[in-house]
Amino acid sequence: MLRKIINDPEDFVDETIDGILLAHPDRLRAADADRRAIVRADAGAAGRVGIVTGGGSGHLPLFLGYVGRGLASGVAVGNVFSSPSPEQIHAATVASDDGAGVLYLYGNYGGDVYTFDLAADLSSADGVRTTTVVGTDDILSAPTERASTRRGVAGLFFAYKTAGAAAEQGEDLETVTEIAQRTVDRTRTMGVGLSPTILPAAGEPTFTLDDGEMEVGIGIHGEPGHHRGPLETADEISDRFMAELVTELPLDAGEKVAVLVNGLGSTPLEELYLLYRRVHGTLSERGVEIAHSFVGEYATSLEMAGASVSLCHLDEELSELIAQPADSPFFTHGRPTVDTSTASSAEGSDESSSASHPTTRPVDSALDSARGDREIETVQDPGPLRGTLIAVATRLPAHNDELRDLDAALGDGDLGITVSAGAAAVHDALDALPADASAREVLRAAGTAFASANPSTFAALIGGATLAAAGAAAHEEIDPLPLVEKIQERVAQRGGADVGDKTVLDAIDAIRTSLGETASAAPSDRARAARDAVSSAVDVHAQKHSLRGRAAWVGERSVGRKDPGQVAALRFLDDLVDHLENRPG
């Protein structure tokens, strides 16, 4: 039987946020219409670097609980154990920026990386500089040779503390980012689970443990751990943790650490202090000084029983930053100075550009709900880009079955729905724009819509690359070559593939080469030449091994099969040529 103090499980997250905002109106405010982007009351003021975090609900105080003075400036809140959307992160970013830029600081989970990267593209298109640091402190989630792939768990708290203090002191974006990264690099965590968590919407445990069992290394979403066995004593668990932690962080006598003993949701404080007692003794025996200690619930998993221990190997600067005051509704440290004047000025400010060209116009559409009534850039001569993309988007869903079947043979079979749903979303997003929207606005809307319609790796790569192209687009005249160059650069950067790996990047490279060779030709001739170049590339690469992504996993079986992403690019060009050759006039 589900025993939770809730109403409708589907409303759990939204009603929790409502309660938090109602309880702390002087310290937190919503930054978007759906109240999933939350910022500190004075966010975006005083020229400070912003720090935006985010992740799934169910981990309080992690993420939302560290929005406050001397900590993060904003957060994007996802559903329980689910990533927030790029638009929600973007809304928190815009509200947190006052010209100094914004650091993204969050845990290393695939869905969060994907959505934060897309939000960075959205923010870049708005002129907001962003940097990223991800927490990777969970030592049992990957071996040392793959430490960059580890999960971020409770140790992220230390990065909030140091980076937040640096931002509060007025340090620039590069410095705040370096401090956050240094903190992450010097932090390690190990945890144990004693009982599962129960998702409100599912009503079922996320994992099972027999009576008297524990699982060492379990993740904060219930991910499988490293060892399952009989429950050990507090000292035995502490010794198990410390043996691994001091191997990862070799600590000599006289060095300093910060210690965090964290409860996962339903572990009594008394038990956490038992763990701390043994940790303190172990470090003291090594001659290591504990400069800062924190015991309590700092990163939870709803009602999961269990605990974790985090160590941050301090240098003098990090120690001083951890000692600085901080204040949020969930965490207070030292004696923060309260200044409500910046909060009122931030809420009352409305800065907007008054440049004569291009002009701006308010628009209210689902695409822009993250920012409310956003100003849309318009131009006198918008050109055919918007109409062309709408026409192609209308045609693309016809290729759903072909792309699905190609992807099922080499991947997970979702490319058909990704392209068809993305095309429909692009059509609707562009149709909602004014007819005189600038090329930047058209590409921005198209990229956001495609990326969000059916989130996947392909959607993220193409949507994010289109957003990057939006940032490079001119106001009116559109030269496709530099846009394709920007798309190729971003796809290679985010996807990690090289030309020749048998991915969509090969098709994009063929388009780029063709456009360079046909610079003086008519648009329809350039499109036809690019289509023919991609068609040849698809046939050539079909005889090669797939070297990236899921397709690489099938090995020899990928030889003789066309790459689904390349074919998707080819069908886009087929439909583009069809439109250009058959449009009226």
Side-chain angles (χ1 to χ4, degrees):
M1 178 180 178
L2 180 63
R3 295 181 180 179
K4 286 182 179 287
I5 303 175
I6 61 174
N7 298 310
D8 186 333
E10 297 299 323
D11 297 330
F12 175 71
V13 175
D14 291 323
E15 291 184 347
T16 299
I17 293 173
D18 284 347
I20 292 170
L21 291 175
L22 289 168
H24 308 288
D26 57 329
R27 301 161 87 179
L28 300 172
R29 59 184 172 90
D32 66 347
D34 66 4
R35 301 159 75 85
R36 291 299 189 94
I38 308 297
V39 295
R40 53 189 271 190
D42 62 347
R48 287 186 302 264
V49 167
I51 299 175
V52 170
T53 189
S57 297
H59 303 300
L60 279 173
L62 189 61
F63 307 129
L64 174 55
Y66 299 114
V67 174
R69 191 173 300 276
L71 298 163
S73 55
V75 64
V77 183
N79 288 328
V80 175
F81 295 0
S82 298
S83 300
S85 73
E87 293 84 359
Q88 290 160 350
I89 301 166
H90 174 236
T93 305
V94 172
S96 294
D97 181 56
D98 191 35
V102 174
L103 165 66
Y104 288 158
L105 181 58
Y106 58 95
N108 189 27
Y109 297 90
D112 294 335
V113 172
Y114 151 69
T115 53
F116 271 91
D117 281 350
L118 284 176
D121 292 329
L122 287 170
S123 300
S124 177
D126 283 338
V128 179
R129 291 188 304 140
T130 62
T131 57
T132 297
V133 173
V134 294
T136 54
D137 54 303
D138 186 355
I139 65 172
L140 292 186
S141 60
T144 53
E145 61 269 22
R146 292 193 290 112
S148 63
T149 70
R150 288 173 170 172
R151 299 183 295 241
V153 285
L156 191 59
F157 161 78
F158 291 127
Y160 290 140
K161 190 68 193 63
T162 58
E168 202 71 36
Q169 293 173 356
E171 300 289 357
D172 62 22
L173 180 60
E174 289 71 25
T175 301
V176 173
T177 303
E178 187 279 326
I179 287 169
Q181 187 63 61
R182 186 169 10 131
T183 306
V184 166
D185 291 343
R186 297 167 73 97
T187 299
R188 302 290 188 276
T189 298
M190 191 166 165
V192 63
L194 306 182
S195 71
T197 185
I198 299 175
L199 302 183
E204 298 291 336
T206 53
F207 63 94
T208 58
L209 279 173
D210 292 337
D211 289 342
E213 273 194 325
M214 68 177 188
E215 183 152 359
V216 176
I218 197 162
I220 59 173
H221 307 99
E223 298 96 336
H226 183 264
H227 164 80
R228 179 175 289 199
L231 179 62
E232 298 173 350
T233 68
D235 284 356
E236 289 170 336
I237 291 172
S238 295
D239 290 345
R240 179 188 288 272
F241 286 177
M242 294 304 293
E244 299 280 354
L245 291 170
V246 298
T247 299
E248 290 257 341
L249 288 177
L251 298 168
D252 296 326
E255 293 190 292
K256 296 181 180 181
V257 295
V259 176
L260 169 64
V261 177
N262 170 65
L264 292 177
S266 65
T267 301
L269 272 172
E270 290 88 344
E271 296 178 20
L272 300 182
Y273 277 103
L274 289 178
L275 294 173
Y276 179 81
R277 166 187 169 275
R278 187 67 165 191
V279 170
H280 185 282
T282 301
L283 292 171
S284 296
E285 289 174 3
R286 298 176 67 95
V288 175
E289 178 185 346
I290 300 176
H292 308 280
S293 57
F294 304 90
V295 180
E297 291 186 343
Y298 289 77
T300 66
S301 183
L302 293 173
E303 69 272 67
M304 184 187 292
S308 63
V309 172
S310 302
L311 299 183
C312 181
H313 184 191
L314 300 173
D315 57 30
E316 287 303 319
E317 183 179 27
L318 295 183
S319 184
E320 291 174 4
L321 290 169
I322 287 179
Q324 295 304 305
D327 181 61
S328 83
F330 295 81
F331 173 76
T332 299
H333 185 69
R335 296 181 178 273
T337 301
V338 177
D339 178 7
T340 58
S341 62
T342 54
S344 60
S345 64
E347 293 181 33
S349 65
D350 184 15
E351 300 178 8
S352 60
S353 172
S354 58
S356 59
H357 181 77
T359 59
T360 58
R361 177 184 306 167
V363 67
D364 184 15
S365 69
L367 176 65
D368 295 301
S369 63
R371 295 190 65 189
D373 290 342
R374 197 176 67 81
E375 295 293 324
I376 293 296
E377 183 181 82
T378 60
V379 292
Q380 287 186 341
D381 183 12
L385 179 63
R386 174 175 169 271
T388 298
L389 290 179
I390 288 175
V392 173
T394 302
R395 292 167 166 80
L396 276 173
H399 309 298
N400 176 79
D401 292 351
E402 177 192 19
L403 296 177
R404 179 198 63 212
D405 293 344
L406 286 169
D407 194 41
L410 291 178
D412 56 7
D414 70 344
L415 185 62
I417 187 61
T418 292
V419 170
S420 58
V426 168
H427 180 284
D428 292 346
L430 298 187
D431 191 54
L433 287 177
D436 55 354
S438 70
R440 277 200 294 248
E441 294 288 359
V442 169
L443 292 171
R444 182 183 187 278
T448 304
F450 190 83
S452 303
N454 188 64
S456 66
T457 301
F458 188 83
L461 288 175
I462 301 305
T466 305
L467 286 168
H475 298 319
E476 297 186 15
E477 292 296 325
I478 290 294
D479 180 356
L481 180 56
L483 300 185
V484 171
E485 289 174 339
K486 178 59 71 173
I487 288 171
Q488 180 171 349
E489 175 188 325
R490 183 54 60 89
V491 169
Q493 177 190 51
R494 292 278 171 82
D498 294 318
V499 173
D501 283 351
K502 192 177 177 180
T503 70
V504 69
L505 190 66
D506 298 312
I508 298 170
D509 185 63
I511 296 170
R512 178 192 60 79
T513 301
S514 177
L515 289 174
E517 295 171 347
T518 59
S520 60
S524 59
D525 292 334
R526 297 184 82 185
R528 192 180 306 107
R531 187 266 314 274
D532 294 343
V534 171
S535 181
S536 296
V538 169
D539 291 338
V540 168
H541 285 90
Q543 304 311 313
K544 300 181 179 181
H545 285 91
S546 298
L547 299 179
R548 299 292 298 187
R550 286 186 172 89
W553 299 349
V554 305
E556 291 286 345
R557 287 179 293 153
S558 66
V559 177
R561 295 185 181 276
K562 295 178 179 180
D563 179 75
Q566 293 178 5
V567 175
L570 178 59
R571 296 299 172 248
F572 175 91
L573 291 168
D574 284 340
D575 292 340
L576 175 62
V577 170
D578 181 62
H579 167 69
L580 293 177
E581 291 182 344
N582 294 289
R583 61 181 173 177

